Amino acid sequence: TEPDPLEGEIMDKCLLLHAEHDFNASTFAARVVASTLSTCYCSISSAIGALYGSLHGGANQRVIEMAEEIGDKNNVAAWMEKALARKKKVMGMGHREYKAKDPRAHIIQKYLATLSEKKQDFRYYEILQEVEKVFRAKMETTGKPIYPNVDFYSGAVYRLLGIPAILFTPIFAMGRVAGWLGHILEQRSDNRIYRPESLWTGPEPRAYIPIEKR
Ligand code: COA
């Protein structure tokens, strides 16, 4: 069905906000595969595989699972105590590059507020806002502040648009694919195969002991 103009606009903006974003794990995976002179299809498949992981694009699906497990904003504080005691990572929080709230999260949070109002369904919005508040306060006291990333509010937006969680990574990939292809073409234009060196940190060489003497 045709989306109404507001929902269509939110979807377009979400695709833009998920566009390619520097040397993250999926872009790097695409470039490594491109550097072997494999096909575009194989490079993009590798990128999608990396994106699906819960520490990367798969996080938005995990955020929704977390919100459903919490169930109500009044349960957040107790849930957070337990999660942090178990050293559990809070999905949708933290970023290797951003040391402040991800600018994309600010924008997507506003879309979630708008959609929640439109649908008169505030459950995800209230729970996620409370998770953000409680988690930020906790992390600030440890001197290691951690803020929401692009995945924190996006899953809830998709849910309110009626999109099932299984499609979250494919949507993310749709937003990224043009940038991935740009990287693949750039890699091909001046290619050298990726071949990182590794540093052995195991035992120093030992004398060989014949098997019957062990
Ligand atoms: N919840 C709880 N603690 C977190 C955290 C989170 N979401 N993100 C980072 N931390 C803590 C780590 O436990 C670590 O603590 P330590 O120094 O006591 O060991 C410290 O902050 C540094 O984390 P680290 O995992 O080394 O940061 P990173 O730069 O390697 O990883 C992410 C960045 C995004 C992978 C990480 O923040 C994360 O796993 N976030 C949750 C998954 C997610 O939302 N991914 C989508 C990214 S767009």
Side-chain angles (χ1 to χ4, degrees), residues 18-79:
H18 285 81
E20 201 285 314
H21 193 233
D22 199 33
F23 254 86
N24 51 77
S26 51
T27 301
F28 185 59
R31 285 191 79 131
V32 170
V33 174
S35 83
T36 70
L37 300 186
S38 185
T39 64
C40 275
Y41 300 103
C42 292
S43 300
I44 298 294
S45 304
S46 310
I48 292 170
L51 187 71
Y52 181 64
S54 59
L55 296 188
H56 194 10
N60 56 8
Q61 194 169 333
R62 301 293 184 284
V63 172
I64 286 298
E65 288 162 9
M66 171 184 76
E68 282 166 0
E69 188 187 317
I70 295 172
D72 186 283
K73 74 172 183 173
N74 296 318
N75 300 337
V76 168
W79 182 92

Side-chain angles (χ1 to χ4, degrees), residues 54-56 59 89-90 92-94 96 135 144 146 149 151:
S54 59
L55 296 188
H56 194 10
K89 276 197 164 168
V90 178
M93 290 283 172
R96 176 67 61 82
F135 182 68
K144 272 194 305 192
I146 295 177
N149 59 49
D151 294 309

Side-chain angles (χ1 to χ4, degrees), residues 12-32 43-44 47-48 50-51 56-57 95 97-98 102-104 150 158 169-187 194:
D12 278 348
K13 299 273 170 63
C14 283
L15 288 170
L16 280 176
L17 291 169
H18 285 81
E20 201 285 314
H21 193 233
D22 199 33
F23 254 86
N24 51 77
S26 51
T27 301
F28 185 59
R31 285 191 79 131
V32 170
S43 300
I44 298 294
I48 292 170
L51 187 71
H56 194 10
H95 197 275
E97 299 300 327
Y98 290 125
D102 187 327
R104 299 167 297 177
V150 67
Y158 299 148
T169 304
I171 290 171
F172 204 147
M174 281 161 62
R176 280 233 157 159
V177 74
W180 284 336
L181 281 166
H183 272 276
I184 291 166
L185 295 178
E186 187 181 76
Q187 183 65 37
Y194 279 85

Side-chain angles (χ1 to χ4, degrees), residues 78-179:
W79 182 92
M80 190 65 72
E81 280 298 329
K82 270 199 217 148
L84 294 182
R86 278 188 275 137
K87 303 240 173 273
K88 207 170 140 94
K89 276 197 164 168
V90 178
M91 290 293 129
M93 290 283 172
H95 197 275
R96 176 67 61 82
E97 299 300 327
Y98 290 125
K99 302 301 169 214
K101 186 162 170 177
D102 187 327
R104 299 167 297 177
H106 281 289
I107 301 171
I108 298 176
Q109 182 177 5
K110 283 195 197 129
Y111 293 146
L112 180 58
T114 308
L115 272 179
S116 304
E117 186 69 43
K118 180 169 183 256
K119 310 259 172 191
Q120 283 298 296
D121 178 356
F122 295 92
R123 194 167 67 114
Y124 289 120
Y125 190 52
E126 286 177 357
I127 294 174
L128 294 183
Q129 273 197 309
E130 189 65 12
V131 169
E132 176 179 352
K133 192 176 105 197
V134 172
F135 182 68
R136 280 177 66 164
K138 286 254 175 239
M139 298 316 283
E140 272 159 18
T141 59
T142 66
K144 272 194 305 192
I146 295 177
Y147 304 96
N149 59 49
V150 67
D151 294 309
F152 192 67
Y153 290 104
S154 63
V157 166
Y158 299 148
R159 259 291 151 81
L160 290 185
L161 290 174
I163 298 171
I166 192 93
L167 294 179
F168 293 179
T169 304
I171 290 171
F172 204 147
M174 281 161 62
R176 280 233 157 159
V177 74

